Amino acid sequence: MRGELKPLPEALPEAQRALAQQLRSLFGGLGVSMTRYSARVHLDKSVVSRYLSGTRVPPWDFVRGLLVHATLERHQTPPTVAVVAHLKNLHRAAIEAGNATYHTLLLLQDQLAEADQDAQRAKLRERDLELALQTAHQRIADMAVRERELQAALENTHEESATLEELNAQGEDADSLRSEIARLENELEAARWRHTQAEERCAELERQLEAVQRTSSDGMGMDLGLTVDALAELSPRQAAVELGEMDRDLGAVVLRRIHPLHAAATLAHIAPTVAANLLGRMMAREALPIVSRLQPTQILALAEYIDPRWAAVVARQMDTQTVALLVNLLPAVRTAAVLGQMSPPEATTLLDLMEPTKKAAVLELVHQSAAPSTVHLPVDITDDNNER
């Protein structure tokens, strides 16, 4: 089986070499021929060969499939968290090392696959919570009727003590169930939000994929890497002009491949509406290196156009000092909007960073808002799956 694997090409870039070596190690542990494994995963043998030789970076699904098959071979012993994390890093590095359109498409496809899984999980969770809530409401209705039955029985029975005892127990159970319903309603609202965000992230990634594919079909696809390199060589003002004329989805793809310092400097020369649009098309973890390098005045200019839900996700990942500076500079209305997208502990932490006057103004706006801050939102759906 190992004899099928030819030595890795000498000219292979280091990132692709490191990934290929790990894939070969996993494949070697399976004890099957490449022909047999290709049939198992429904791929042409030549495709698998290119993946294992490092000449082509495989999609993450192929890497994950190797991990699954290796787990089966080791009697259901899964890889450690460190091994999976290491492979993820190697895979991402191999993708980002290339400038060709293929690598960009691959990265977007992997992100879309993750976002789709997030959407499916969120949908299932939403359905489970809806069913649990329906069951709880059924039970509370049943309890209400039983309570009336017991009250009626008190007027016609000689067993007052037993009836009163059951009635009191019914009341306690009903109070407990009402608390459970309130919890389920909050969780359902959060689950619906996650589902909506995941679906929006999928749609965003689909548009970005189509934008890159359109570029490829126009005969310009292999120039994507050259476009990124060319923009990196331009002054921020010149790069802003070029970026502003691009399709927004393609612009977001290009922007996140530029060095964060240059990307932040470039955004300073783009209209806030356009800059916010470009950033909003990225996952929070992709945008954070750029946002963290923006000047506070730039962030203030973007604040009016940034989705509060997206801003809340980014804020969770920023250092405390930066967040403290921003929450005291941002208008109270925008701060309250972001606060409304956080869980109570997160909102409390944010409030504690504010100056007393600002805190009072924000709290007043939150209390007046129709969207209470008691809604529990996820830490990051587009990250370890999005969110915009």
Side-chain angles (χ1 to χ4, degrees):
M1 319 325 166
R2 283 185 177 273
E4 290 185 277
L5 298 176
K6 298 177 181 179
L8 294 174
E10 290 185 10
L12 196 64
E14 187 53 40
Q16 282 93 321
R17 180 180 296 276
L19 177 63
Q21 287 171 339
Q22 292 298 316
L23 298 183
R24 285 170 168 237
S25 177
L26 284 170
F27 174 72
L30 300 181
V32 296
S33 68
M34 194 183 299
T35 302
R36 185 170 170 183
Y37 188 71
S38 300
R40 182 181 295 178
V41 295
H42 306 290
L43 289 173
D44 189 270
K45 181 181 175 180
S46 63
V47 174
V48 176
S49 177
R50 286 196 290 271
Y51 290 163
L52 297 179
S53 68
T55 58
R56 188 166 186 177
V57 180
W60 176 253
D61 275 354
F62 178 83
V63 183
R64 189 177 184 278
L66 271 176
L67 288 170
V68 171
H69 292 129
T71 298
L72 290 170
E73 190 65 28
R74 292 194 299 264
H75 306 291
Q76 304 296 334
T77 302
T80 64
V81 173
V83 167
V84 174
H86 180 59
L87 268 172
K88 275 271 190 183
N89 290 334
L90 289 178
H91 184 252
R92 181 57 62 90
I95 290 176
E96 293 179 347
N99 280 330
T101 298
Y102 168 73
H103 295 97
T104 300
L105 287 171
L106 193 60
L107 180 60
L108 290 171
Q109 286 167 350
D110 283 343
Q111 290 177 344
L112 180 56
E114 289 181 10
D116 182 56
Q117 289 179 355
D118 286 342
Q120 291 181 57
R121 284 192 293 266
K123 186 176 182 179
L124 288 174
R125 177 61 176 161
E126 184 180 340
R127 286 178 178 175
D128 288 344
L129 286 168
E130 285 174 343
L131 180 59
L133 194 57
Q134 183 181 354
T135 302
H137 279 300
Q138 178 67 36
R139 288 179 56 202
I140 204 76
D142 183 78
M143 284 182 174
V145 173
R146 179 58 182 160
E147 183 179 8
R148 293 293 184 267
E149 289 177 336
L150 291 170
Q151 289 170 344
L154 277 175
E155 300 177 3
N156 301 300
T157 184
H158 299 294
E159 308 253 353
E160 280 194 18
S161 58
T163 304
L164 280 172
E165 186 176 339
E166 186 180 350
L167 188 58
N168 290 334
Q170 278 283 120
E172 292 175 3
D173 288 346
D175 288 341
S176 176
L177 190 54
R178 289 188 188 97
S179 297
E180 175 69 6
I181 286 174
R183 183 188 68 79
L184 286 171
E185 286 174 340
N186 278 339
E187 288 192 17
L188 179 58
E189 187 172 352
R192 284 173 175 161
W193 184 86
R194 291 189 194 99
H195 187 197
T196 299
Q197 288 296 97
E199 292 293 348
E200 288 178 0
R201 181 58 183 161
C202 286
E204 191 68 64
L205 287 166
E206 285 182 55
R207 286 194 294 270
Q208 291 181 11
L209 265 171
E210 289 170 1
V212 176
Q213 287 166 343
R214 280 197 305 272
T215 306
S216 179
S217 65
D218 290 340
M220 301 166 50
M222 299 311 291
D223 292 337
L224 181 61
L226 296 177
T227 301
V228 173
D229 292 341
L231 254 66
E233 295 298 322
L234 295 175
S235 70
R237 188 180 296 276
Q238 292 172 319
V241 173
E242 295 294 329
L243 200 60
E245 294 178 352
M246 287 184 190
D247 174 275
R248 292 288 177 262
D249 293 310
L250 185 60
V253 172
V254 172
L255 186 64
R256 66 168 171 252
R257 292 176 68 98
I258 299 174
H259 189 281
L261 274 174
H262 191 56
T266 299
L267 285 179
H269 298 283
I270 295 178
T273 51
V274 177
N277 189 299
L278 290 169
L279 287 171
R281 292 171 188 272
M282 299 182 194
M283 296 174 71
R285 68 161 179 261
E286 296 168 340
L288 182 62
I290 301 173
V291 174
S292 62
R293 287 169 169 82
L294 293 173
Q295 295 297 319
T297 52
Q298 291 175 271
I299 297 178
L300 287 174
L302 294 173
E304 184 179 349
Y305 309 103
I306 289 289
D307 187 329
R309 294 172 297 182
W310 188 92
V313 172
V314 175
R316 291 185 184 102
Q317 302 176 54
M318 299 181 81
D319 64 272
T320 305
Q321 185 177 0
T322 303
V323 173
L325 175 65
L326 291 174
V327 296
N328 285 302
L329 287 175
L330 284 173
V333 172
R334 297 303 293 172
T335 306
V338 175
L339 199 72
Q341 303 303 320
M342 294 183 166
S343 66
E346 291 170 334
T348 300
T349 300
L350 197 64
L351 285 166
D352 289 342
L353 298 174
M354 296 179 196
E355 296 170 354
T357 305
K358 177 68 175 292
K359 182 176 180 178
V362 170
L363 280 174
E364 170 122 9
L365 288 167
V366 169
H367 290 150
Q368 292 173 357
S369 172
S373 60
T374 53
V375 177
H376 295 264
L377 298 181
V379 173
D380 194 339
I381 67 165
T382 69
D383 206 2
D384 294 50
N385 259 37
N386 185 236
E387 70 331 28
R388 287 168 50 192

